[in-house]
Amino acid sequence: MTNDGRRLRGLRSREVILAQAVGLASVEGLDGLSLGRLATATGTSKSGFFAHWPDKEHLQLDAVDWAARQWTEHVVAPALRAPAGVRRLFALHEARLKFYKDGVLPGGCFFFTAQVEFDDRPGPVHDRVARAMGEWQEFIRRQVTEAIALGELAQGVDPAQLAYEIDALGEMVVIHSRLLEGQESLVRARRAVLQRLRALCPDPELLPED
C-alpha cells in the first residue's frame, strides 16, 4: 500500500472513531469515553488509538472539534441556504430543532452535555468547549445584526440579547424532550422563536404564521 493509501485509511479510521466518540459523549460525557469501549465499537485495536491520540485528553479535544464540524454541517450550512436576514435567523433555529428531532446524536446535544461537565473544570477541554460555544453565540448574533441592517428586525433590537434568547429556547429542547414534554417541546421552541421574530420584524409576512 502506498503512503497516500495508508494515510487515507488512517483518516477514515480516525473519522469513524470520532463519530462514535461524539455520540457516546452526548450521553455519558467526555469523561465517559473509554478507549476499550470505543475500540470494540469501531473494531479498532487499542494500539490503533494511540496512533491517533497519545492520551484521553487529546481524544476529547478532537471530539469537541469534530462535534463542532458536525454542528456546522447539520445546522449552520442548511440555514445559510435561506435568504440573509430574519428568514435565515429562523432557518437556523429550525435546523437546530431538526438536528434534535432526527436524533443525530443519541444524547441529543454533545455541547449541552460537555458544558455541564466542564463548566467548572479549568483546562484545555474547558477552553475548547467554551470557544466552540462562543463561536456559535457569535454566529447567531451576526445573523441578528445582519437582519437589523437589512431592515428586517427593528433598529432597537439588542443582538446579544436576542441571540441569547434564541439559543436558550433551543437548548431547553434537549432537557424537555427527554424529561417532560417529548416532541411537544420542539413545537413550543419553534413557536416561541417564531412569535418573537414576527413581533420584532417590520414585515412579519417574511416569516410563516405558525
Side-chain angles (χ1 to χ4, degrees):
M1 181 179 292
T2 66
N3 288 337
D4 286 345
R6 282 192 294 270
R7 189 178 300 110
L8 180 60
R9 188 176 69 176
L11 287 173
R12 287 174 177 168
S13 172
R14 185 176 182 276
E15 293 286 293
V16 169
I17 294 169
L18 286 173
Q20 289 283 347
V22 168
L24 177 62
S26 74
V27 178
E28 300 184 10
L30 283 164
D31 269 352
L33 295 180
S34 160
L35 295 184
R37 184 171 176 183
L38 283 172
T40 300
T42 59
T44 305
S45 67
K46 287 187 179 181
S47 61
F49 273 86
F50 290 107
H52 297 295
W53 301 282
D55 53 43
K56 186 173 180 177
E57 182 176 84
H58 282 82
L59 172 61
Q60 291 173 329
L61 292 169
D62 280 351
V64 176
D65 290 343
W66 200 95
R69 192 181 76 186
Q70 180 187 59
W71 188 259
T72 297
E73 291 174 354
H74 285 266
V75 178
V76 175
L80 289 176
R81 292 195 286 268
V86 72
R87 285 167 290 183
R88 180 174 293 171
L89 185 59
F90 186 56
L92 188 65
H93 183 63
E94 287 199 299
R96 179 182 193 167
L97 297 182
K98 185 177 187 299
F99 183 88
Y100 297 150
K101 182 179 180 180
D102 289 349
V104 176
L105 293 175
C109 183
F110 171 90
F111 287 103
F112 180 84
T113 304
Q115 68 174 311
V116 172
E117 187 179 13
F118 281 90
D119 58 352
D120 292 321
R121 296 170 57 180
V125 180
H126 168 281
D127 294 345
R128 192 71 60 88
V129 171
R131 186 181 73 188
M133 295 184 65
E135 289 172 350
W136 165 243
Q137 281 276 333
E138 177 57 30
F139 183 76
I140 303 175
R141 284 195 293 270
R142 287 202 305 270
Q143 306 317 305
V144 175
T145 299
E146 187 169 24
I148 295 170
L150 291 170
E152 295 184 3
L153 286 176
Q155 288 296 316
V157 170
D158 179 344
Q161 178 63 32
L162 184 56
Y164 182 91
E165 293 172 13
I166 292 171
D167 191 33
L169 286 163
E171 191 170 272
M172 286 303 293
V173 171
V174 181
I175 304 171
H176 282 227
S177 63
R178 284 167 164 72
L179 290 177
L180 299 173
E181 300 174 310
Q183 294 297 302
E184 182 65 21
S185 64
L186 293 161
V187 176
R188 293 186 186 280
R190 180 183 184 276
R191 184 183 300 131
V193 170
L194 177 59
Q195 291 177 350
R196 184 83 171 104
L197 293 178
R198 283 181 63 88
L200 295 172
C201 183
D203 183 10
E205 296 306 312
L206 289 172
L207 294 161
E209 292 185 2
D210 195 4

